[in-house]
Amino acid sequence: MERSVEAAAARLRAARRVTVLTGAGVSAASGIPTFRGEAGLWRSFRAEDLATPEAFERDPITVWEWYDWRRRAIAAARPNAAHETIASWSRSFDEFTLVTQNVDGLHELAGTAGIVRFHGSIWTLRCASSCGARPEGWEDRTAPLAEIPPRCPDCGGLARPGVVWFGEAIPVTALEAAWRAADCDVCVVAGTSSLVMPAASLADAARDRGAWTLEVNPEATRATSRVDCAIAGRAEDVLPEIDRAIRSGQRGSGRSERQ
Ligand code: BJW
Ligand code: ZN
């Protein structure tokens, strides 16, 4: 069996249609905390306690304080080598789709083409009571926010973050685009715990349709035993390493493959 970085580079070199799914781990090196694990706790709340319509209904101020804290961290962050590599891949394959669960906008900042934002954007606000004046919401990049909770400029009611919370549907256009992108030659899943559905099923769908699947994550996840190749490492190290191997055709560094 080929070593993993080499195997990934060989598959990508031969690929015409490439789909990448990213999660919070891809932004970890930019200083943005992931959701799960110790780093994911904010004032002892878990994401599951705050990222729900029920939490917002019960306590919009606490939910907005969490988002304000994250918006401030994200505003100060820059794309890292993982974002940059994915951005360069987005310009070099015949067909490329990035499906990101991240709401931070760092893939956009890195210049990635073909982004499907699965869970929305932390920089978009929407009217919480859907007054209908701006159904798509509006952009607000102020960090810290001028007031908590922010208000809808049209009806004066509560504004909410333009993101997808637990129990809410993924935007139809994003879902359709992601499922179309599951028809690919190579599907790379990087920096996600692969716990949150339906994003977590994208690699399974791609594999079912004949794609070669790769996971990049320092920890084992639910996806690890299901992909064709799992590379144990950080996205900001491994993705550039694969990229160098694609470009040079040289041998990779011989990272261990989990399966
Ligand atoms: C590194 C690294 C480095 C660290 N390099 N890696 C089927 C079965 C069971 C449950 C469900 C199901 N279908 C739906 C559900 C319910 C629910 C769900 O999945 N629950 C599970 C927890 C069980 N899903 C939903 O509710 C979804 N909606 C839905 O399906 O609706 C159906 C519907 C249809 C029609 C009408 C109505 C409804 C919506 C899910 C929304 C998730 N939202 C959040 C918040 C977004 C806004 C915000 O950011 O605040 O999305 S929750 C949070 O989790 C966020 C993330 O995008 C998402 C995934 O997290 P991610 O990115 O994987 O991060 P972590 O922290 O979990 O993992 C980081 C990883 O990085 C780790 O593995 C590290 O090891 C790794 N790492 N450093 C590489 N340097
Ligand atoms: Zn309104």
Side-chain angles (χ1 to χ4, degrees):
M1 180 76 181
E2 301 154 291
R3 288 183 308 187
S4 49
V5 167
E6 296 158 30
R11 294 283 179 169
L12 282 162
R13 225 181 278 122
R16 201 176 62 75
R17 301 166 308 163
V18 173
T19 296
V20 176
L21 170 71
T22 59
V26 159
S27 294
S30 296
I32 302 171
T34 57
F35 290 94
R36 292 165 186 86
E38 293 239 329
L41 289 181
W42 174 80
R43 294 191 194 162
S44 81
F45 292 105
R46 300 170 308 134
E48 285 79 359
D49 301 327
L50 297 166
T52 71
E54 295 77 23
F56 186 73
E57 206 162 302
R58 200 170 46 239
D59 188 354
I61 294 186
T62 299
V63 171
W64 265 119
E65 283 173 347
W66 180 51
Y67 280 96
D68 191 48
W69 172 73
R70 290 174 56 203
R71 284 164 61 102
R72 280 183 278 133
I74 294 167
R78 301 291 312 154
N80 64 57
H83 299 107
E84 303 291 356
T85 301
I86 293 167
S88 104
W89 290 355
S90 77
R91 294 184 291 267
S92 59
F93 290 99
D94 286 350
E95 284 179 32
F96 180 91
T97 307
L98 169 67
V99 180
T100 187
Q101 299 169 84
N102 299 346
V103 299
D104 55 34
L106 290 183
H107 285 298
E108 287 87 341
L109 213 53
T112 309
I115 303 182
V116 175
R117 281 205 300 241
F118 218 64
H119 291 160
S121 166
I122 203 163
W123 303 116
T124 300
L125 270 56
R126 292 206 315 260
C127 177
S129 46
S130 304
C131 71
R134 304 176 205 222
E136 303 300 323
W138 62 94
E139 188 179 272
D140 180 329
R141 289 188 171 264
T142 50
L145 284 158
E147 62 168 335
I148 292 182
R151 300 268 158 197
C152 169
D154 300 297
C155 72
L158 274 182
R160 58 158 286 176
V163 301
V164 181
W165 284 328
F166 286 112
E168 295 185 323
I170 307 302
V172 175
T173 48
L175 200 58
E176 287 176 353
W179 256 243
R180 272 198 306 277
D183 269 320
C184 58
D185 302 317
V186 174
C187 177
V188 181
V189 178
T192 174
S193 56
S194 290
L195 289 172
V196 175
M197 299 296 265
S201 59
L202 183 71
D204 291 337
R207 196 170 185 213
D208 288 349
R209 296 188 211 171
W212 187 81
T213 51
L214 167 71
E215 181 186 53
V216 177
N217 196 312
E219 308 286 337
T221 74
R222 177 190 153 280
T224 306
S225 60
R226 304 155 83 105
V227 291
D228 293 302
C229 175
I231 301 181
R234 298 182 306 185
E236 65 275 19
D237 300 330
V238 175
L239 296 181
E241 198 176 337
I242 294 171
D243 189 53
R244 283 193 293 277
I246 295 173
R247 288 168 196 274
S248 65
Q250 288 167 357
R251 298 183 72 76
S253 70
R255 272 169 200 281
S256 63
E257 196 170 334
R258 282 207 195 92
Q259 56 178 84

